[in-house]
Amino acid sequence: MEVSLIVNGKEVQGEADRRLLDFLRYDLHLTATKNGCASGACGACTVLLDGKAVRSCVLTLGKCAGKKVVSLEGLNMREREVYAFAFAEAGAVQCGYCIPGMVMAAKALLDVSSDPDEAEIRRAIRPNICRCTGYVKIVRAILLAAEFFRNGRPVPKKNCSGRLGEKFHRIDAETKILGTGKYVDDLFFDNMLHASALRAAHPRARILKIDTAEALAHPDCVAIFTAVDVPGNNKIGHLAFISDYDVMIGEGGITRFVGDAVALVVCTGKESLEKVKALIRVDYEVLEPLLSPASAMAEGAPLIHNRERNILAHEHLVRGNAEKAVAESRYVVSRHFSTPFTEHAFMEVECAVALPDGAGRLVLYSGGQSVYDERRECSRMLGIRPEQIRVKGQLVGGGFGGKEDMSVQHHACLAAWLLKKPVKVCLSREESIAVHPKRHAMEMDFTLGCDEDGRLTGMKAVIVSDTGAYASLGGPVLQRACTHAAGPYNFQNIDIEGTAVYTNNIPAGAFRGFGVTQSCFAMESCLNLLAEMAGLSPWEIRYRNAIHPGESLPNGQIAGDDTELEACLLALKEKFEEAAKTGKAAGIACAMKNSGLGVGLPDTGRCIISIENGKLHIRTSAACIGQGLATVVLQIACETTGLPPDVFMVETPDTERTPDSGTTTASRQTLFTGEALHQAALKLKAAMNEAHGSLVSLEGKEFYGEYLGLTDPMGSGKMNPVSHVAYGYSAVMAILDGKGRIDSITAAYDIGTVVNPLSAEGQIEGGLLMGMGYALTEDFPLEGGRSLRKYGALGLLRSDAAPPMEIIFVKPRHPSSLAFGAKGVGELAAIPVCPAIGGAYLARDGALRNKLPMKGTPYRP
């Protein structure tokens, strides 16, 4: 039955049982309204229905008949100008996927309350999840917008030099705020088909037969592909030298987890995919799955991959004599720690579109973390040269490491290559949760010793990680967990052994913090216990052992002249001591995090500046996943050349236009791509000087910059190996209120030269809230290798749970020469807050929380 409704002032008709979200996006192409969860849990799809904020993903057109719907596209010019300025000015935009929904929630509030307070705003946006910002700057943006509307203030024109340290508006802010920027699912092509994978019914089972006859007979089914249809290599993987991930599991093969693809269904319409998949008959011989590292390492355990054992990686980092040092220590602490799998919960689900270009090549539109990684893996699968695939990066609605692996790109390329037609593959939220790699669950035994003065003497650790069914980045994650396990302290006796184990669980891979989040929780928790034994405050024991420039870190690397951990601690000293005097429970923790891949791996940043039609094009493949990289490189360009920002244009990643600057991972892009851009800009500046400042004579020229980070491999025989080219440092303090809830978080960060303080604050605020969730509420339990959680039950913190946060940037006395001294902050932001919270609860009731999420708190009784 067809019904009528008013959308943005126009009368339209649609089927009564059609979901409002789908009608807006796919019928009317009003793509500012985003699909985040399709279950009413995230708020990305918020629109107004007769003036009230509603989730369009849970409403049918029948419920909207005769009513007025307003999407972001329906705002008047004044509203668009105010919200665009307010959200950009407040620094409220990162990945941007949640922002259209936030704006609509704000409009619903401000239309009826012209002068709301912060608590009222937090209640109004509570149905809307933001995974990036920590909500602080979104609240400020809405307060600012309210003031503009209330007082009739004109929107000012923002004039900025673009130089370092300036609170420069992100260059992608306006398109994200107004919903005009394109994420992959916002793209539509003529005659586009839709594809979806049938997933394995069991975590470990032999596939006896795949019968597609009935499914192929469905009128909307165009094709069904299985492993035998893969023209190249059926094995791909983020790490090329491993490549153990099956494109599909074929007949005779054994599934490794419930996310394995068994068949790829292609239909004319998205709505038919699930119906057709249900018609495929798969016969299985169900086998006993290996669901824990212990069972996978047991004698006689079946092998998940073609290896001697179910071991992906093993690391043993030894310096000095830890056994002797611990035995001779005045105080010793030994504890076991458990951390769970956790879900990235990025707002945008994975989506890709591939289409033939008419010249024997494919064009892939993707929202991943490296266009060159995607090209390599997809060309391997198809058995073609990498140059036969052009990958064009789109806006990325959050990643946090979870979009480094192939998820949909390879299947889109496979179907488009075989059918010679455009094909879109977009995961549902449930499928995304079931398929993409998680944060590693780890079991850790830590032993830490100190002398009578509280100075650390030695530590031993054994770390076992569940890397799930496939390698992903489980090996490098284990390395980081080990190299950072002893913390940012000055002692040299360590014995750290780590093992990453294959199981039949959902794979684990990169996640903000990259293994350091887990080992930091264990190390810093032990340090709190040692402090008590030595009669020191948690602050004092950290201050006594803090690494200084020129001293040796536990991994042997000499701390650089730009090391400012001591200053981070001093920035918190007064507040920590005040909390103790007033009887407030406070916890503190320190962390360090590398910038760059390190440990001897090739790691290069690349950038080109080209002069085209009088405009300076900054070209790099480095993906922005919310951190604001395009703005970072623009500001470095302005600082280097002295030119204003409006003469530059930052291009989006494109394998045909932008040089390979590596994956957005390991907090590396600000330093690596930033320094590459700096080198290119220096060449441009020199050429401009020769041309007496004129760009006209440089038309058509290109200036290439490259930075190669040289490091030493793990196990290097050097006395003081260079593990990474740079480290950032931080100290974080959490204070509890009288009811045991988080009252405030104060964080001091050494991230070198701060390129854009507004953006860096937002990164840290979001990281602190993510770390708070990791400590207190987030969990990802599995049963039989299957997820037990839907998006709304992941334990993600909402706006009303976010505590006040104070961010302190420690100015480096001797900044590095690389990228003007800038270092990455994305991962470091999230690492120390969990043990700081654990320390606060230890101070409150004397109980060590050694398992996450922590129990015995108001958040999880």
Side-chain angles (χ1 to χ4, degrees):
M1 182 180 72
E2 200 171 71
V3 297
S4 293
L5 61 156
I6 307 298
V7 176
N8 297 336
K10 296 180 180 179
E11 185 175 0
V12 293
Q13 290 78 37
E15 292 299 318
D17 60 352
R18 181 76 164 149
R19 192 169 58 168
L20 177 59
L21 173 62
D22 296 335
F23 181 70
L24 295 173
R25 287 186 54 79
Y26 308 125
D27 297 357
L28 302 183
H29 287 189
L30 297 173
T31 55
T33 306
K34 305 302 181 189
N35 182 1
C37 67
S39 60
C42 78
C45 67
T46 300
V47 297
L48 303 190
L49 183 64
D50 284 350
K52 294 184 178 181
V54 297
R55 260 59 69 203
S56 60
C57 69
V58 293
L59 286 177
T60 61
L61 296 190
K63 297 288 181 68
C64 306
K67 297 181 179 180
K68 295 179 181 179
V69 173
V70 178
S71 71
L72 186 56
E73 293 89 345
L75 269 59
N76 63 43
M77 187 57 66
R78 166 68 174 167
E79 291 173 319
R80 295 167 70 83
E81 288 178 348
V82 168
Y83 285 119
F85 179 83
F87 274 70
E89 178 71 8
V93 182
Q94 290 188 37
C95 88
Y97 202 79
C98 74
I99 296 300
M102 291 288 184
V103 170
M104 296 310 294
K107 174 176 167 55
L109 171 65
L110 299 186
D111 281 351
V112 297
S113 178
S114 64
D115 192 13
D117 60 19
E118 184 172 322
E120 194 176 353
I121 291 172
R122 288 183 179 272
R123 286 194 298 272
I125 63 171
R126 189 187 182 283
N128 298 59
I129 288 175
C130 175
R131 194 64 165 152
C132 296
T133 69
Y135 303 103
V136 175
K137 288 176 171 40
I138 292 176
V139 173
R140 288 181 190 168
I142 297 172
L143 285 168
L144 181 58
E147 194 269 330
F148 270 90
F149 289 131
R150 189 169 61 250
N151 297 324
R153 277 181 58 192
V155 173
K157 183 173 176 58
K158 188 85 171 179
N159 293 312
C160 294
S161 68
R163 306 297 281 270
L164 299 187
E166 194 171 51
K167 292 187 175 181
F168 184 62
H169 283 191
R170 286 179 56 136
I171 61 175
D172 58 355
E174 183 171 319
T175 62
K176 289 178 174 179
I177 296 162
L178 300 181
T180 56
K182 297 298 181 184
Y183 301 84
V184 181
D185 196 31
D186 298 334
L187 302 178
F188 300 92
F189 297 92
D190 292 340
N191 303 311
M192 187 173 72
L193 303 174
H194 297 264
S196 179
L198 175 69
R199 304 290 173 176
H202 308 281
R204 183 168 176 266
R206 180 173 284 105
I207 297 178
L208 304 176
K209 184 176 178 56
I210 304 172
D211 184 352
T212 62
E214 188 178 356
L216 284 167
H218 191 284
D220 294 339
C221 183
V222 175
I224 299 176
F225 301 116
T226 61
V228 296
D229 297 305
V230 176
N233 200 317
N234 194 49
K235 295 280 189 179
I236 60 174
H238 186 63
L239 299 179
F241 66 92
I242 296 180
S243 295
D244 63 359
Y245 207 124
D246 294 272
V247 175
M248 284 183 276
I249 306 290
E251 290 183 349
I254 296 177
T255 65
R256 296 182 177 87
F257 84 116
V258 292
D260 274 326
V262 174
L264 183 65
V265 171
V266 186
C267 290
T268 54
K270 182 179 180 180
E271 295 78 10
S272 301
L273 288 169
E274 293 305 315
K275 297 175 185 176
V276 175
K277 287 196 297 184
L279 298 176
I280 299 175
R281 308 297 177 216
V282 183
D283 294 334
Y284 294 96
E285 176 191 351
V286 179
L287 304 172
E288 186 69 25
L290 304 173
L291 301 178
S292 70
S295 63
M297 290 191 292
E299 189 72 30
L303 297 178
I304 294 173
H305 291 278
N306 187 22
R307 289 169 169 255
E308 291 184 6
R309 297 183 65 197
N310 289 319
I311 304 297
L312 168 64
H314 179 263
E315 302 291 348
H316 197 184
L317 185 60
V318 177
R319 287 186 65 83
N321 189 333
E323 189 74 34
K324 182 174 183 292
V326 169
E328 295 176 355
S329 297
R330 177 67 178 86
Y331 303 108
V332 177
V333 168
S334 292
R335 293 292 187 276
H336 181 81
F337 297 88
S338 298
T339 62
F341 289 109
T342 46
E343 158 70 20
H344 300 76
F346 35 70
M347 296 298 296
E348 176 208 24
V349 292
E350 300 88 336
C351 188
V353 180
L355 62 155
D357 71 349
R361 303 192 314 164
L362 284 179
V363 179
L364 172 64
Y365 294 88
S366 175
Q369 294 183 218
S370 170
V371 291
Y372 281 92
D373 289 343
E374 292 161 348
R375 187 179 77 162
R376 172 182 55 79
E377 292 194 57
C378 291
S379 62
R380 172 188 170 96
M381 172 195 67
L382 295 178
I384 60 177
R385 291 179 294 106
E387 295 75 19
Q388 287 179 263
I389 301 178
R390 178 182 184 179
V391 186
K392 302 180 74 171
Q394 304 300 294
L395 292 180
V396 182
F400 313 113
K403 291 180 179 174
E404 292 191 39
D405 297 85
M406 293 304 97
S407 54
V408 289
Q409 301 94 324
H410 58 314
H411 287 158
C413 282
L414 177 63
W417 182 260
L418 295 175
L419 295 172
K420 310 303 179 190
K421 291 184 178 180
V423 179
K424 177 183 282 189
V425 182
C426 193
L427 300 186
S428 67
R429 178 57 71 177
E430 290 75 14
E431 195 175 8
S432 173
I433 288 174
V435 170
H436 78 252
K438 313 303 174 195
R439 191 195 301 274
H440 283 79
M442 292 189 182
E443 298 295 325
M444 302 173 287
D445 289 289
F446 271 58
T447 297
L448 185 64
C450 70
D451 64 16
E452 60 276 7
D453 296 320
R455 299 195 181 275
L456 297 176
T457 51
M459 68 93 72
K460 299 186 293 182
V462 177
I463 300 171
V464 178
S465 73
D466 186 339
T467 207
Y470 293 101
S472 182
L473 283 156
V477 167
L478 181 71
Q479 288 180 336
R480 292 299 78 68
C482 292
T483 59
H484 289 61
Y489 303 112
N490 180 31
F491 69 106
Q492 282 71 53
N493 296 301
I494 59 170
D495 187 327
I496 303 164
E497 185 174 10
T499 308
V501 185
Y502 282 117
T503 67
N504 290 121
N505 288 321
I506 297 173
F511 195 143
R512 191 179 201 173
F514 213 76
V516 183
T517 321
Q518 296 94 314
S519 59
C520 177
F521 166 58
M523 173 65 183
E524 293 292 308
S525 297
C526 286
L527 203 52
N528 288 333
L529 298 177
L530 271 187
E532 186 176 1
M533 295 171 71
L536 301 174
S537 76
W539 183 90
E540 180 63 35
I541 197 169
R542 287 168 172 83
Y543 185 74
R544 290 190 183 189
N545 290 284
I547 193 72
H548 295 88
E551 294 179 342
S552 176
L553 286 160
N555 62 17
Q557 181 162 338
I558 300 299
D561 291 341
D562 60 343
T563 300
E564 296 288 356
L565 178 60
E566 179 184 45
C568 290
L569 282 163
L570 288 172
L572 302 183
K573 184 175 188 288
E574 184 177 341
K575 196 166 187 177
F576 188 86
E577 291 177 347
E578 179 64 25
K581 288 178 183 177
T582 56
K584 291 183 177 179
I588 192 169
C590 296
M592 66 179 189
K593 186 64 178 69
N594 56 288
S595 290
L597 303 179
V599 295
L601 297 173
D603 198 4
T604 304
R606 299 180 179 92
C607 190
I608 293 171
I609 301 177
S610 57
I611 296 89
E612 304 176 35
N613 298 317
K615 202 83 170 175
L616 295 170
H617 287 241
I618 297 175
R619 294 156 52 189
T620 176
S621 73
C624 176
I625 57 175
Q627 79 276 36
L629 184 68
T631 306
V632 167
V633 295
L634 175 60
Q635 290 189 252
I636 290 176
C638 292
E639 183 72 24
T640 306
T641 63
L643 294 171
D646 58 4
V647 304
F648 291 95
M649 172 186 175
V650 184
E651 295 195 14
T652 55
D654 182 340
T655 54
E656 200 150 288
R657 288 279 300 172
T658 58
D660 185 0
S661 201
T663 311
T664 293
T665 188
S667 301
R668 60 181 294 280
Q669 293 294 9
T670 293
L671 192 157
F672 279 74
T673 297
E675 178 59 19
L677 184 278
H678 180 219
Q679 295 300 321
L682 286 172
K683 294 177 182 178
L684 167 65
K685 185 177 182 180
M688 287 180 63
N689 287 338
E690 290 182 11
H692 306 291
S694 171
L695 286 176
V696 176
S697 62
L698 300 179
E699 180 67 31
K701 292 189 178 298
E702 293 186 353
F703 302 91
Y704 176 73
E706 178 177 302
Y707 169 66
L708 171 64
L710 297 176
T711 55
D712 298 310
M714 286 189 70
S716 168
K718 293 182 179 180
M719 177 67 71
N720 297 112
V722 176
S723 182
H724 294 91
V725 297
Y727 289 103
Y729 299 89
S730 64
V732 171
M733 179 175 66
I735 297 178
L736 305 182
D737 65 18
K739 296 181 179 179
R741 299 184 70 84
I742 306 298
D743 181 71
S744 66
I745 298 176
T746 306
Y749 277 78
D750 160 25
I751 58 171
T753 300
V754 182
V755 176
N756 187 316
L758 200 61
S759 184
E761 281 178 2
Q763 281 262 288
I764 293 171
E765 288 160 356
L768 293 176
L769 193 67
M770 186 177 282
M772 179 178 161
Y774 184 52
L776 298 172
T777 58
E778 293 185 31
D779 200 0
F780 192 77
L782 299 175
E783 186 174 291
R786 293 177 171 81
S787 167
L788 297 178
R789 290 283 190 267
K790 292 186 177 180
Y791 193 81
L794 291 171
L796 309 179
L797 293 171
R798 295 179 182 267
S799 56
D800 58 345
M805 304 178 200
E806 180 186 0
I807 312 301
I808 301 167
F809 291 117
V810 171
K811 187 174 181 179
R813 290 165 292 180
H814 305 286
S816 163
S817 62
L818 298 174
F820 291 101
K823 299 184 281 190
V825 68
E827 294 177 282
L828 182 63
I831 293 170
V833 65
C834 175
I837 290 171
Y841 283 109
L842 178 67
R844 184 174 192 259
D845 59 18
L848 175 73
R849 274 79 172 172
N850 63 342
K851 184 176 181 180
L852 300 180
M854 299 174 189
K855 291 184 178 181
T857 76
Y859 303 88
R860 192 178 171 92

